[in-house]
Amino acid sequence: MEIVIHLLLNEQAEALPASLLSMLKTCMEETLLSEEFPYDAEISFSITDDAEICEINKEQRGIEKPTDVLSFPMLSLEDDVLVIEDEDMVDENTVFLGDIVISMERAEAQAEAYGHSKERELGFLAVHSMLHLLGYDHETGKAEETEMFQKQESVLERVGLVRDR
């Protein structure tokens, strides 16, 4: 099975080096493959700074602080099955999954704090956010958190973005 992700990029994301953007896309595609997602996907992908992600976080979630990544899924999960509520979101076997917003400032700070590369941190955030777009939520309980984090590490290992031990 092959999965293709069509990224809709903001200006900051467009300015990323092609190799980094390609790696992020690979992380997202591998996440869909690992979940056996049956469609190609379209994702709005934005890179921003702490000030802007803080504003988005405040507007959308009522939390006035910067965060590393925000995910805005367009699908819903009912009884562990993804539901496409609006057939207009499917176009020629491509599903619009939602929006991903990453703070580059936060990603760089976290990479330094965790002692790994910026690429590894951005890959982690991309996979983490993709799982949210697919209905996973680590804030609903310990079992869900464990499952989601195991899936993240599995995908990151398959794409070669392992933590230095």
Side-chain angles (χ1 to χ4, degrees):
M1 174 164 78
E2 181 182 358
I3 299 248
V4 176
I5 291 188
H6 306 279
L7 292 176
L8 308 172
L9 307 173
N10 74 341
E11 287 180 24
Q12 292 93 336
E14 285 178 351
L16 292 175
S19 60
L20 184 56
L21 201 49
S22 175
M23 181 274 297
L24 291 170
K25 190 174 176 185
T26 297
C27 288
M28 294 175 194
E29 289 169 345
E30 188 60 40
T31 304
L32 293 178
L33 285 169
S34 73
E35 292 298 302
E36 299 180 358
F37 191 74
Y39 304 100
D40 289 346
E42 186 172 272
I43 297 158
S44 171
F45 181 74
S46 299
I47 296 289
T48 190
D49 58 22
D50 279 355
E52 186 173 344
I53 208 165
C54 181
E55 187 62 33
I56 296 167
N57 204 17
K58 179 181 172 187
E59 289 173 9
Q60 299 297 318
R61 300 175 63 222
I63 299 171
E64 193 171 350
K65 69 175 192 173
T67 187
D68 51 5
V69 64
L70 291 169
S71 310
F72 300 103
M74 296 301 291
L75 305 179
S76 63
L77 193 65
E78 294 177 14
D79 298 322
D80 292 331
V81 175
L82 276 174
V83 176
I84 301 171
E85 295 177 9
D86 183 355
E87 289 302 318
D88 291 337
M89 292 173 31
V90 180
D91 180 34
E92 296 182 29
N93 205 39
T94 299
V95 175
F96 181 66
L97 287 180
D99 304 313
I100 295 173
V101 182
I102 293 176
S103 168
M104 184 61 81
E105 276 184 81
R106 187 84 12 225
E108 289 170 342
Q110 288 175 179
E112 185 174 325
Y114 297 138
H116 55 241
S117 70
K118 177 174 72 173
E119 291 76 14
R120 200 275 182 201
E121 186 65 20
L122 288 168
F124 167 81
L125 294 173
V127 172
H128 181 87
S129 194
M130 285 296 294
L131 288 170
H132 278 305
L133 295 185
L134 294 173
Y136 290 91
D137 186 354
H138 55 88
E139 295 179 1
T140 57
K142 188 64 179 163
E144 292 81 359
E145 178 183 49
T146 299
E147 178 185 22
M148 186 171 171
F149 281 74
Q150 286 173 342
K151 287 177 179 285
Q152 288 168 179
E153 290 305 317
S154 176
V155 170
L156 291 167
E157 188 173 296
R158 283 197 300 279
V159 298
L161 290 173
V162 296
R163 281 187 193 208
D164 295 334
R165 306 259 179 218

